[in-house]
Amino acid sequence: MTVVIGFEGSANKIGVGIVRDGVVLSNPRRTYITPPGQGFLPSETARHHRGVVLTVLKEALQQAGLTPADIDCVAYTKGPGMGAPLVTVAIVARTVAQLWGKPLLGVNHCIGHIEMGRLITGATNPTVLYVSGGNTQVIAYSERRYRIFGETIDIAVGNCLDRFARVIKISNDPSPGYNIEQMAKKSSRFVELPYTVKGMDVSFSGILSFVEEMAHKLLGSGECSAEDLCFSLQETVFAMLVEITERAMAHCGSQEVMIVGGVGCNLRLQEMMGVMCAERGARLFATDERFRTDEVEVTWRD
């Protein structure tokens, strides 16, 4: 039985996962968290990863009950992602592979998310909505290739949510998106925001610019609350994502949808996608938070 250890560090999370024949044996992680109103810089994120990676590696082996001799292959996220954190983790993975005498495998970050989702959920050939801090794409598999049917033409949905959180000083602990989701549950008042779908693609820069310009005016005048803005932003951007996903399903004749990536943790997005799937007689697949954020991501499609 093949045992693979994978190193992931493409953004502010660093994780080391161990998989044996499709079974996840361990998946410890650490997250670099900055103060409210701030993002994470590549150099500082890389410094964080350097400081904890060996501890996370030790935890992964201990949780799996394995030693280096039990490992058959070392994998790592080759990209896409933030340059400095990627380089940091790649150096560690290459060093470990040389010290242990194991083959080294570079994994595409996006494919890792999709294949981990298929492994965990059992989806066979889904239309994939990949939503994270750096990516927003609708993807389907055809003729041994992943085809992108729709995507953002500017910034990713996760980036939009993160930057909105900075505008109104929402905490980054445990993540801006999670805190936006919790605040949105406290409101049902909808504030109309720009909605931009262009064919199979979406644009989030307009809605972000509007919020950056108007948020403090709306909050200061009492026209709406921070919870109202969180609710309205979620409803708007998620409706855009559901629309292009349904369009891709119709194009591909698909009856399955799978959501992957960190933003896929949002239960409201899952709920809205579930309504669309139910109306089409389709199935929705979504993993839990252990496997939707950046983590082991070392499986491949035959």
Side-chain angles (χ1 to χ4, degrees):
M1 294 186 291
T2 303
V3 180
V4 181
I5 187 168
F7 292 80
E8 152 59 28
S10 58
N12 67 325
K13 287 185 176 62
I14 181 167
V16 180
I18 300 178
V19 175
R20 179 169 57 203
D21 277 5
V23 177
V24 179
L25 302 181
S26 61
N27 186 29
R29 288 168 291 175
R30 294 291 189 280
T31 303
Y32 175 52
I33 297 175
T34 55
Q38 298 183 22
F40 48 92
L41 297 175
S43 59
E44 295 174 356
T45 306
R47 188 179 305 116
H48 166 266
H49 291 359
R50 288 195 297 271
V52 300
V53 63
L54 295 182
T55 300
V56 179
L57 171 58
K58 183 178 180 181
E59 288 180 6
L61 290 170
Q62 289 177 340
Q63 290 176 16
L66 301 177
T67 67
D70 299 315
I71 303 299
D72 297 306
C73 179
V74 177
Y76 70 99
T77 301
K78 194 172 183 179
M82 299 174 67
L86 280 172
V87 169
T88 296
V89 177
I91 290 173
V92 174
R94 289 168 182 160
T95 302
V96 166
Q98 289 181 357
L99 289 174
W100 295 355
K102 309 297 181 180
L104 184 67
L105 175 66
V107 178
N108 180 281
H109 188 177
C110 306
I111 294 176
H113 268 298
I114 295 170
E115 290 303 314
M116 178 57 71
R118 289 182 63 247
L119 174 69
I120 299 301
T121 65
T124 55
N125 190 28
T127 297
V128 179
L129 176 64
Y130 175 25
V131 280
S132 67
N135 297 275
T136 299
Q137 297 174 324
V138 178
I139 302 168
Y141 192 79
S142 175
E143 299 178 357
R144 298 185 62 81
R145 293 286 189 278
Y146 281 104
R147 315 285 178 173
I148 298 174
F149 286 87
E151 60 185 333
T152 176
I153 60 176
D154 37 51
I155 62 174
V157 62
N159 190 9
C160 177
L161 294 171
D162 290 351
R163 290 172 62 179
F164 164 77
R166 292 180 218 168
V167 171
I168 61 175
K169 299 296 189 296
I170 294 176
S171 172
N172 292 321
D173 187 11
S175 71
Y178 174 81
N179 292 324
I180 290 172
E181 179 182 6
Q182 304 316 308
M183 292 177 65
K185 293 176 181 178
K186 301 175 183 178
S187 171
S188 58
R189 180 185 177 191
F190 183 77
V191 178
E192 187 170 350
L193 301 173
Y195 183 104
T196 309
V197 173
K198 300 183 178 182
M200 298 291 288
D201 297 326
V202 291
S203 171
F204 298 111
S205 60
I207 191 170
L208 179 62
S209 296
F210 177 86
V211 170
E212 288 177 335
E213 179 180 351
M214 298 298 297
H216 294 300
K217 296 179 182 178
L218 293 171
L219 295 175
S221 65
E223 294 181 50
C224 67
S225 66
E227 289 77 10
D228 296 333
L229 285 179
C230 291
F231 171 78
S232 304
L233 181 65
Q234 278 197 168
E235 295 297 300
T236 303
V237 299
F238 293 166
M240 293 161 60
L241 295 173
V242 171
E243 178 181 336
I244 65 171
T245 302
E246 183 174 21
R247 191 169 289 126
M249 291 177 68
H251 180 81
C252 299
S254 172
Q255 288 298 104
E256 293 182 340
V257 174
M258 183 174 70
I259 306 175
V260 300
V263 180
C265 295
N266 191 293
L267 296 180
R268 178 55 181 156
L269 173 58
Q270 294 180 35
E271 180 183 14
M272 293 172 69
M273 193 69 72
V275 171
M276 182 272 287
C277 288
E279 291 175 349
R280 295 183 62 86
R283 296 182 65 192
L284 173 64
F285 296 89
T287 59
D288 62 43
E289 67 277 2
R290 293 174 300 161
F291 307 111
R292 208 176 289 116
T293 54
D294 294 330
E295 72 304 281
V296 55
E297 299 178 356
V298 295
T299 55
W300 285 91
R301 188 170 194 145
D302 293 331

